[in-house]
Amino acid sequence: MARVNLSVVVLAVTLLLLAETQAQNPRKRLAPPKPVKAQCCDEVRSLKVQVANLTSLLEEMSRKQETDLLNIVRQMMDLDKQNRQQEARVTEAESKYSEINNRVEMIQLLQSANSVTQTSSDAVYDCASLYHRNYKISEVYKLPKDDFLGTPELDVFCDMETSGGGWTLIQRRKVGLTSFNRDWKQYKNGFGTIRGDFWLGNEHIFRLTRQPSVLRIEMEDWEGETRYAEYGFFTVSNELNSYKLFLANYSGNAGDSLRYHNNTNFSTINKDNDKCVDDCASLRKGGYWYNCCTDSNLNGVFYRYGQHTKSTDGITWYGWHGPNYSLKRVEMKVRPQSFHP
Ligand SMILES: *[C@@H]1O[C@H](CO)[C@@H](O)[C@H](O)[C@H]1NC(C)=O
Ligand SMILES: *[C@@H]1O[C@H](CO)[C@@H](O)[C@H](O)[C@H]1NC(C)=O
Ligand SMILES: *[C@@H]1O[C@H](CO)[C@@H](O)[C@H](O)[C@H]1NC(C)=O
Ligand SMILES: *[C@@H]1O[C@H](CO)[C@@H](O)[C@H](O)[C@H]1NC(C)=O
Ligand SMILES: *[C@@H]1O[C@H](CO)[C@@H](O)[C@H](O)[C@H]1NC(C)=O
């Protein structure tokens, strides 16, 4: 706006100067003074009219620019509104995430199931055995039913990359739409979607860890930083023994926040097996090996953007972010101690 104003003003000033020069010049030209003066004054008058016209033009232009500015502001507001609508759409899409995944998953499951059964008639216990059969892509696989081992058909997600691969995921938190406040039976059999948030199931975890196993827990906070905790020994008892947890030989950079839960039974909202007067599963809103109650709560409530000071029921790992910070992403995975990539 300033630029236009300036050029108009410069033009106006130039015209005024021109008028003055023309008013002086004729005097030098020996012409009769009176008519010249009249001519000069006429010219000056006409220039003044032009200047007046230009001034009004200038006013009109600045009015126009003001409406332009208003239009721009309005457009920006519209854009902002569109932006917010798009954000709402993203949230909606996210909630359809699991549903769509399910379908994609089914197709890929069928594919991987076919190839697994084609290449080998040997038992496939877990992702480590798949790895040794040359499946080295992190994917969903179907472990076939095995009558001899007494294991049912099972969908698993294999991490074939992290720290040598061969990991079978037993838990994941990342989308935040699946409730983990579930009862004993659901924790026993598993729930959620294998590509999204899920608990594999205590019965499956028990079976997987009958062979000496390693547990690896990977975590991410809302700033995008990642940490891990690894236990060189990890096993859970059977249902008769309340899926009691045993672990040893911590290593990692997240802190040893599962040690406190060592030697405790599994608890859910409808089965209080903790070592506390309080009902930890209800307080912490998850199923877990609650002691009294937590030094970590990986099956807690998913809180977007982490901070939740009113309750201590988030997805917490005290050794890293303390009791009031709910993590953005968690994966728990196991593989046999004997695994070598
Ligand atoms: C100034 O404007 C008036 C009407 O707006 C017009 O009639 C006149 O010719 C203009 N004069 C000049 C010198 O532009
Ligand atoms: C822990 O690690 C040590 C040293 O590698 C090993 O001797 C011990 O057996 C491990 N403990 C368990 C329970 O696996
Ligand atoms: C754990 O469960 C077993 C059997 O399910 C029970 O005998 C034991 O007392 C429980 N321990 C605790 C601390 O609740
Ligand atoms: C867990 O308890 C067992 C004994 O039951 C012990 O050998 C092991 O070292 C403990 N693990 C940790 C991490 O303290
Ligand atoms: C966590 O939140 C509770 C309740 O607001 C508060 O008393 C406690 O000091 C907080 N702890 C940390 C480590 O911020």
Side-chain angles (χ1 to χ4, degrees):
M1 204 197 287
R3 208 153 144 190
V4 178
N5 283 357
L6 193 63
S7 56
V8 173
V9 168
V10 166
L11 186 62
V13 169
T14 314
L15 286 168
L16 273 171
L17 285 175
L18 196 65
E20 241 173 70
T21 359
Q22 282 194 346
Q24 284 167 3
N25 277 351
R27 258 182 238 155
K28 288 174 188 165
R29 259 194 256 137
L30 294 172
K34 262 209 169 166
V36 168
K37 201 174 181 187
Q39 191 198 347
C40 109
C41 290
D42 278 351
E43 279 175 12
V44 168
R45 213 171 296 126
S46 118
L47 284 170
K48 275 187 179 162
V49 169
Q50 281 183 36
V51 167
N53 276 12
L54 283 169
T55 310
S56 73
L57 190 68
L58 184 70
E59 273 166 13
E60 198 189 313
M61 277 171 77
S62 58
R63 261 199 305 280
K64 193 177 171 298
Q65 269 169 343
E66 226 164 88
T67 43
D68 281 355
L69 187 68
L70 275 175
N71 279 339
I72 288 168
V73 169
R74 213 168 291 139
Q75 277 171 23
M76 279 171 75
M77 281 163 76
D78 279 351
L79 279 176
D80 190 48
K81 198 171 144 199
Q82 277 172 21
N83 205 20
R84 256 177 286 135
Q85 280 169 348
Q86 239 148 16
E87 230 169 82
R89 250 174 269 147
V90 167
T91 313
E92 195 188 312
E94 204 181 36
S95 69
K96 285 189 182 153
Y97 179 93
S98 310
E99 200 185 308
I100 294 160
N101 264 346
N102 266 342
R103 261 171 251 160
V104 175
E105 208 174 285
M106 284 311 292
I107 296 159
Q108 281 171 340
L109 276 175
L110 286 168
Q111 286 168 350
S112 53
N114 285 341
S115 42
V116 168
T117 40
Q118 270 163 21
T119 38
S120 171
S121 56
D122 291 11
V124 179
Y125 315 98
D126 57 12
C127 294
S129 43
L130 282 172
Y131 186 95
H132 288 312
R133 281 172 175 75
N134 247 354
Y135 295 96
K136 304 204 168 159
I137 295 167
S138 295
E139 245 321 321
V140 175
Y141 294 90
K142 200 185 223 34
L143 302 180
K145 174 174 162 27
D146 192 300
D147 290 329
F148 181 70
L149 292 167
T151 53
E153 198 173 69
L154 177 64
D155 305 339
V156 289
F157 193 98
C158 299
D159 176 349
M160 302 304 205
E161 288 146 78
T162 306
S163 181
W167 300 100
T168 307
L169 266 72
I170 61 170
Q171 187 251 31
R172 190 196 284 116
R173 308 299 301 272
K174 72 169 183 186
V175 183
L177 299 166
T178 305
S179 168
F180 275 60
N181 198 11
R182 309 259 185 158
D183 65 19
W184 185 264
K185 201 171 162 208
Q186 286 174 302
Y187 268 100
K188 175 183 175 177
N189 298 317
F191 56 83
T193 38
I194 201 77
R195 244 168 240 283
D197 295 10
F198 71 91
W199 181 254
L200 189 64
N202 289 336
E203 204 57 35
H204 302 304
I205 298 169
F206 157 66
R207 285 210 196 87
L208 280 169
T209 61
R210 273 192 300 197
Q211 55 186 330
S213 296
V214 178
L215 169 70
R216 185 180 170 98
I217 302 165
E218 281 148 27
M219 298 162 247
E220 185 183 338
D221 68 13
W222 292 91
E223 282 70 49
E225 205 190 320
T226 57
R227 298 274 176 100
Y228 77 98
E230 202 170 295
Y231 293 89
F233 179 78
F234 166 70
T235 190
V236 300
S237 310
N238 59 14
E239 188 177 16
L240 268 175
N241 292 297
S242 302
Y243 302 116
K244 190 170 179 170
L245 171 72
F246 294 102
L247 37 80
N249 286 347
Y250 163 85
S251 63
N253 58 7
D256 186 3
S257 289
L258 209 52
R259 172 194 290 265
Y260 178 67
H261 302 264
N262 191 20
N263 291 309
T264 59
N265 290 338
F266 202 86
S267 291
T268 59
I269 34 169
N270 61 340
K271 211 161 182 123
D272 180 7
N273 288 328
D274 59 39
K275 298 178 176 170
C276 214
V277 191
D278 290 329
D279 181 358
C280 295
S282 297
L283 284 174
R284 300 291 192 257
K285 298 199 181 69
Y288 207 56
W289 302 277
Y290 289 115
N291 189 330
C292 188
C293 287
T294 44
D295 196 38
S296 61
N297 192 35
L298 299 179
N299 290 335
V301 179
F302 184 95
Y303 286 97
R304 214 162 279 275
Y305 309 123
Q307 211 64 28
H308 64 109
T309 43
K310 287 201 187 99
S311 46
T312 47
D313 53 9
I315 303 171
T316 51
W317 189 269
Y318 289 18
W320 183 17
H321 274 299
N324 297 335
Y325 188 98
S326 189
L327 297 166
K328 181 186 177 188
R329 191 182 166 101
V330 176
E331 280 183 4
M332 298 173 76
K333 46 195 80 169
V334 298
R335 78 178 175 198
Q337 278 180 355
S338 60
F339 179 86
H340 295 292

